[in-house]
Structure formats: C-alpha cells, structure tokens
Amino acid sequence: MTIGAVAKLRGVVVAVADGRLARQGRVSLDTAAKIGVIRPEYRYPLSSMGTVDRGQTYHLYDWCLLYAGTYALASEIRDAFRTAVTSLLVDRMSGGEVDFVEGWSGDHRGNDEFYIAPSELPKITSRIVLDELRRAYQAKGDEWMANRVELPDVEFILFGTDGQTGDYEAYVVSLDVAHTSHGRPLALKVERVDDMHVATIGSPTEASKIVGDAELAAAVRDSVPPPSPPGTLEATLDAVEPSRYGTVAARLAELARQASDPGVGGQLLLAVGTSSHDIRVVQVD
C-alpha cells in the first residue's frame, strides 16, 4: 500500500511518495517512481502568406501526478492522461474566437484571417488538466470494472500551476465508492486541496498519522511568509522560501519513513513547487 501526501502552502506546494510496490505482503519493488512530472501543451495552426504550419506548440507550466493503488490500472490511467494532456489542439472557430478543439477540420487553412496572435493563445487552466485526468480515469476504470467485475483501487493527487491565475492548485481524484455500482459508469470524486492544508492518498493508517500530526500542522502554519516591508521587491520571497517549505518537506519525509504499514517503504520521492513555478522531483535518502 502506498502513502502519498501533498501540502499546499501559500505559493508553494510540497509532496512526498514512497517507492514500494507490494502485494499480499510480498515486496515487488522499492524504487517505484510514484510522482511524475507531466507537461501539458497544445498545438495550434499558424497561417501566414497562404501556408500553414501546424507544429506550433504552446506550453507554460508543468504539473505533477502522484498515484496510489493498483499499479497496472494506475499506469494505464497515467499514460492515457499524459497522452491526452500533451496533445491538446487549439484553433480559431468559425465565430472568430480561439478555443480548444477535438481536431482540426482542415477548413479555412491557409487563410490569413485565421492567424492566431500570441496574445490570443488560451491558457491551460487547472480545469482543463483536471478534466483530462477525469476522462482517463473514467475510461480505464470503466473498462477495468467491466472485465474484472471489481471496483478499481486507485487514487491520484494532481497538482500544478493554473495558467490563468498563476496559482498552485492541487486535487485528490478517487473513486466515489458510495455512488458506484456494477453495470454503470464509475462515479468519481474530486476534492480540491485548500491553502495551508495537507491531503493524502494510500494507506488509511499512515494517512491518518500524517493528517493528525501536530508537528506537521505547526510547520504548515509557520510556513506563512512574513509581510514584506514597503518598497521591497516581491522576488525577495525566493530567498526565504527554503526555510518556509523545508520543515514541511522534512516532516512529511520523516512520517513516510516511520510508516508501520509493511506495504509502505522503499525510496522516497519529494516534489517541491516554488514561487518560480518550477516543480522539482528529487529522491530523498
């Protein structure tokens, strides 16, 4: 059983996951990478002087996906999600607006009036990224339950920067067991993680320890940045960020190492997203 956790601070996000894959008490791997960076992007046609280049790519911020549960199903959902969110398409609609589309029709290609200026390019919002994960979970989860006649056991934490607001967002996506029944599409549950809160997936025993840990709660509370003196640059926040999130990251890692659940263990991965919107994933010794 996995343990995965995310702490959403003010302008910073910190996540940790163990590396153990085990089934029925037998360990298969202790180095599984359960946190992965995904780069949402889209392509848009560039029409100029009667020719079309469909290879223009737009990307702004990376996102991370953390999983817990059945490895085979989690991998299928993750791969389907990655494929979808890295192959989005944008085009100018017949009404003149620029928006996401399912596919390019081929109409009006080569007409300069359909040129898309950089200022018109739509942002990749958290809603767009989240919707693609939900679709991937729905499709693969429905197939799993139809073939296996058992409920899928997989959870995800998705986090990254909303392209519209510039703020970090984090979500827990899981099966809504209470509203799921055989012969019908899965019901999914999406929970948004608020600022200054910790969310977990995986082992219920270890999850309750993390959520109820007083030392972690104090570290999260103390991570609020001090008010900047008048006239100082906002960029000075970067200088104090390590001290803000370092204690939270260290405590999350410590709690994961102290797990009593035999299905939790192995190599730890730590992901940190700072105010520069770079998300770094590192191994914790």
Side-chain angles (χ1 to χ4, degrees), residues 110-273:
N111 191 332
D112 288 350
E113 70 180 88
F114 290 94
Y115 167 75
I116 300 176
S119 60
E120 296 180 285
L121 294 174
K123 305 298 185 184
I124 301 176
T125 65
S126 57
R127 175 56 57 185
I128 291 171
V129 180
L130 178 61
D131 283 348
E132 293 299 340
L133 177 58
R134 292 181 65 170
R135 276 192 278 268
Y137 194 141
Q138 191 77 57
K140 295 297 183 178
D142 285 344
E143 181 182 359
W144 174 276
M145 192 163 68
N147 290 330
R148 294 286 296 267
V149 197
E150 63 182 37
L151 296 180
D153 175 24
V154 63
E155 304 169 276
F156 295 95
I157 293 176
L158 174 69
F159 59 93
T161 304
D162 186 292
Q164 189 67 47
T165 66
D167 296 329
Y168 278 110
E169 296 288 350
Y171 303 92
V172 176
V173 182
S174 59
L175 180 69
D176 188 347
V177 177
H179 295 92
T180 295
S181 58
H182 291 286
R184 302 182 63 183
L186 299 180
L188 301 181
K189 181 168 55 176
V190 176
E191 299 168 281
R192 183 175 180 268
V193 183
D194 294 328
D195 280 348
M196 312 306 293
H197 282 74
V198 176
T200 59
I201 58 174
S203 169
T205 300
E206 304 308 327
S208 63
K209 292 178 184 177
I210 290 175
V211 173
D213 185 70
E215 187 175 335
L216 176 61
V220 170
R221 184 176 60 253
D222 294 343
S223 71
V224 178
S228 299
T232 60
L233 295 175
E234 189 174 327
T236 58
L237 178 61
D238 291 336
V240 300
E241 273 191 348
S243 63
R244 289 178 55 214
Y245 66 73
T247 305
V248 175
R251 185 56 181 165
L252 280 175
E254 185 177 9
L255 289 169
R257 288 195 194 96
Q258 293 174 353
S260 58
D261 187 329
V264 175
Q267 169 186 293
L268 296 182
L269 288 183
L270 179 72
V272 177

